[in-house]
Amino acid sequence: MSIDTHIDALDTAGKALLTAAAAAGTDAEVVTCPGWRVRDLLRHTTMVHRWATAFVAEGHTSYHPDGGEPDLDGDALLAYVRGGHERLVAALRTAPADLECWTFLPAPSPLAFWARRQAHETTVHRADAESALPAGPGPVDPALAADGVDELLRAMHGRDKSRVRTERPALLRVRATDTGDLWDVHLSPEAPRTERDADGTRPADCELSGPADRLYLTLWNRLPLDAVRMSGDAGLARLWRENSAITWS
């Protein structure tokens, strides 16, 4: 996906997040994040947006701490989140292609990294906000969802800090039935190693398959495992569920 496509996705997801949050109210429970109310989700999201904006707009070339969560609620919090989201989108749209700043995942460029990361950060949290509504999380564009599965498997869990490990080598296959994408996640005592578009001929110990957006939200632990089709060793799917959470630190 292009940088502009990721920025468009960020823009759309942020607006949908705010719409859902306003409809639910800041005291509503966020079903996908046990223990959180909508206000907690909004405070976290705007903190991340403003943190990311600082790297893009100010060009920090080393890690820079976040500014903390705002002590706001209600309409004031919604307005603050809206302002932070708009500034992030604007910073990315106006950033130079040769932007130099700190990143934490492999990417073609720092600008490509921040556009992609914040598109998925916000899309996942859009689903969180929608989980506070009776209808629950809405669909995710299949191409964006497949891209997000790729980022999660190959980048997020390609790092040494991933806790998704097995005592013995095992293969977890993820197959998007609508986009045709396939990932082979090689599990071992080390960090996972994921191949995209493997030929799929090697027997997998466990396979998760379904539409890309269902895989996306399931692998991000926003939908239950039964939202997708599972075959093989259910223990590997549970291992993912229990150990794959990405935490803010």
Side-chain angles (χ1 to χ4, degrees):
M1 296 181 72
S2 70
I3 291 171
D4 286 343
T5 303
H6 280 131
I7 298 172
D8 288 344
L10 162 64
D11 191 16
T12 299
K15 291 172 180 174
L17 186 159
L18 281 157
T19 297
T26 58
D27 195 47
E29 293 184 8
V30 179
V31 175
T32 51
C33 300
W36 269 19
R37 302 279 178 172
V38 168
R39 68 174 61 88
D40 302 306
L41 172 65
L42 292 174
R43 289 167 179 170
H44 167 79
T45 300
T46 197
M47 175 191 69
V48 175
H49 282 175
R50 290 163 187 271
W51 176 74
T53 300
F55 289 105
V56 176
E58 300 170 22
H60 299 293
T61 55
S62 59
Y63 174 79
H64 190 76
D66 64 78
E69 297 183 359
D71 185 19
L72 297 171
D73 204 351
D75 290 344
L77 176 57
L78 287 163
Y80 188 79
V81 174
R82 184 174 295 105
H85 170 251
E86 290 173 351
R87 280 193 283 276
L88 174 58
V89 171
L92 288 165
R93 290 204 193 282
T94 59
D98 60 353
L99 171 71
E100 292 292 335
C101 67
W102 179 83
T103 63
F104 61 88
L105 295 176
S109 70
L111 181 57
F113 163 78
W114 284 109
R116 185 191 203 195
R117 178 80 290 279
Q118 291 309 301
H120 293 301
E121 174 82 14
T122 310
T123 299
V124 170
H125 288 324
R126 183 218 79 186
D128 291 330
E130 291 171 346
S131 80
L133 298 173
V140 178
D141 173 78
L144 179 67
D147 181 73
V149 170
D150 189 70
E151 185 205 42
L152 181 63
L153 296 180
R154 294 207 297 156
M156 285 288 196
H157 282 284
R159 299 178 293 173
D160 288 341
K161 66 190 299 183
S162 175
R163 297 180 296 110
V164 182
R165 300 174 186 237
T166 54
E167 292 184 4
R168 298 177 181 175
L171 178 60
L172 172 65
R173 178 165 292 143
V174 176
R175 186 189 303 271
T177 54
D178 52 350
T179 66
D181 293 290
L182 183 146
W183 297 265
D184 275 354
V185 186
H186 298 269
L187 302 174
S188 73
E190 307 299 324
R193 179 178 60 84
T194 299
E195 297 176 88
R196 184 172 187 172
D197 298 327
D199 60 20
T201 57
R202 176 181 171 181
D205 297 289
C206 178
E207 179 170 314
L208 300 177
S209 62
D213 79 320
R214 300 297 89 181
L215 289 170
Y216 179 66
L217 294 176
T218 299
L219 291 169
W220 270 105
N221 297 329
R222 265 52 185 192
L223 289 178
L225 284 171
D226 61 11
V228 297
R229 184 177 182 276
M230 179 176 61
S231 60
D233 183 359
L236 288 181
R238 290 194 299 270
L239 175 82
W240 178 272
R241 174 69 49 160
E242 294 165 3
N243 295 282
S244 65
I246 304 294
T247 57
W248 181 261
S249 58

